[in-house]
Each structure stands twice: as structure tokens, then as C-alpha cells.
Amino acid sequence: MSESGIKRVVIEQVEPQIDCGRYPVKRVANEPLTVRADVFGDGRDAVRAVLRLRRVSQADWLEYPMRFLGNDRWEGVCVADEPGDYVYVIAGWVDHFATWRSDLLKKRSAHQDLSVEFLIGAGLLRSAARHAVPVAAEVMLAMADVLESQEGDDRKVQIVESDELERLTGRYSDPDAVTVCEHEYPLTVER
């Protein structure tokens, strides 16, 4: 949810599911489960989604990235390697980094001043670092330092375009901003 308590992301049309999640979907061990859902936000901001899977008897979720298929549709694939009872859910959030990155690169293409954009990015990194493990937080804070520094724009844009920045910011989003679908969908994995 946002600071105002309003959900910014909606998750609908989760498939597969049987009778709105009343009965479990079935798979055999090591058979991929492909899950699709409509995941969309309330504005023009970029959205990110993950598929979460866990054994019913465990508390920790395994997360699998979902890919955007177009027209608000997302797809993720997970594999349960042992027989048993599982549940899965979809989680989605507004991706402030992807939105910021896209806007910055558009402004760069238009030869606009990027100094404010770099400061905004540094603030986003510092905020995300609060949710990260120490090693990742250290990397994000170092990136923020460069974005706030007097280094040239080319070096800063290298950081903005880096796969490492995308990986870190996708992994350590604000947990309060994540929307999780209302139902846990059951999965029974057989031998």
C-alpha cells in the first residue's frame, strides 16, 4: 500500500485455479507450474510482479520473477520438486526505479539537464538500502554516492543502465508498497 493506505496495484484473473482457489491445482514433482495474472497499477508508473510459492507447512516463500506479456498480463513459472501441499500467490508493486530510469533516459535522449533526476535516483537507492541485506545495501549506497557526486553524466548513466542496479532495486523494494493477491491458491504435488 502507499503511505495513504491506498493499494496502487491490482491483481486479478489468476490462472490456474479451480473454483476460485477452493480446490488445489495438481502437478507431479518437478513439473513446471505456469501462473498468469492481470497485474496493473493506477497510473503510468511501471509495475513489477513475482510469483510466490511455499509448502503449507513452511512460512518462507520462494519467489519467481514474472514477465510482462502485454495488456496487463503477467506470467511466472515455478517448480515444486517434492510431493506435498503448497500454496502460491502473486505479489505486485509500483516499480519506482523502473519509472525513474525510463524518465531519466528519455530526458537524456532529449538532451535535458539530469542533475535533479540523479538526486531523485540517489534518494530511491538510499530508501531501498534500508530494506536490503548489508552487502547489497553497501552497493546501493555506493551507487547513490556516485549519483550525488560531481562525476560526469556518462558515469552516472552507466550506473542507471546497469543490470546490477535493476537486480538490486527489484529485489529490495519497499515491503509496505507490495500488494499480494487476496487468496492463497492451493497446489498439490504428487509423485
Side-chain angles (χ1 to χ4, degrees):
M1 289 193 203
S2 69
E3 290 175 11
S4 64
I6 297 171
K7 287 185 178 182
R8 298 253 351 249
V9 172
V10 176
I11 301 168
E12 300 176 331
Q13 304 297 322
V14 176
E15 297 173 346
Q17 45 103 349
I18 300 171
D19 198 14
C20 297
R22 188 174 191 184
Y23 301 105
V25 171
K26 294 188 178 183
R27 293 291 184 272
V28 296
N30 294 312
E31 180 183 6
L33 172 67
T34 300
V35 178
R36 293 185 182 94
D38 291 342
V39 182
F40 53 93
D42 63 356
R44 69 165 199 85
D45 291 329
V47 172
R48 190 181 294 248
V50 293
L51 169 61
R52 293 179 176 169
L53 175 74
R54 71 173 173 84
R55 277 185 163 290
V56 170
S57 61
Q58 296 176 337
D60 294 333
W61 294 95
L62 297 174
E63 285 192 350
Y64 301 86
M66 295 186 79
R67 66 184 181 95
F68 182 63
L69 300 175
N71 200 26
D72 297 332
R73 200 73 173 152
W74 290 76
E75 176 182 84
V77 179
C78 62
V79 176
D81 56 359
E82 295 180 16
D85 293 322
Y86 295 80
V87 290
Y88 60 93
V89 296
I90 307 295
W93 62 94
V94 171
D95 188 340
H96 296 291
F97 283 99
T99 303
W100 163 76
R101 176 192 236 174
S102 174
D103 290 347
L104 183 141
L105 295 175
K106 287 176 190 172
K107 288 180 180 181
R108 183 169 195 244
S109 294
H111 305 289
Q112 294 180 3
D113 178 40
L114 302 177
S115 56
V116 172
E117 294 300 319
F118 289 131
L119 293 176
I120 291 169
L124 290 171
L125 281 168
R126 291 188 188 288
S127 177
R130 291 193 305 254
H131 307 288
V133 297
V135 172
E138 189 176 311
V139 172
M140 288 191 279
L141 293 173
M143 289 176 167
D145 288 344
V146 172
L147 294 180
E148 292 171 337
S149 75
Q150 297 301 313
E151 285 201 42
D153 285 1
D154 290 341
R155 172 69 181 119
K156 294 176 183 180
V157 169
Q158 265 184 326
I159 289 172
V160 171
E161 292 180 324
S162 73
D163 292 338
E164 184 175 28
L165 176 76
E166 185 173 3
R167 181 182 57 78
L168 289 170
T169 58
R171 176 136 171 81
Y172 298 107
S173 59
D174 179 359
D176 294 331
V178 175
T179 299
V180 178
C181 63
E182 293 180 10
H183 300 319
E184 290 185 351
Y185 296 97
L187 168 68
T188 297
V189 176
E190 300 172 341
R191 292 193 189 285

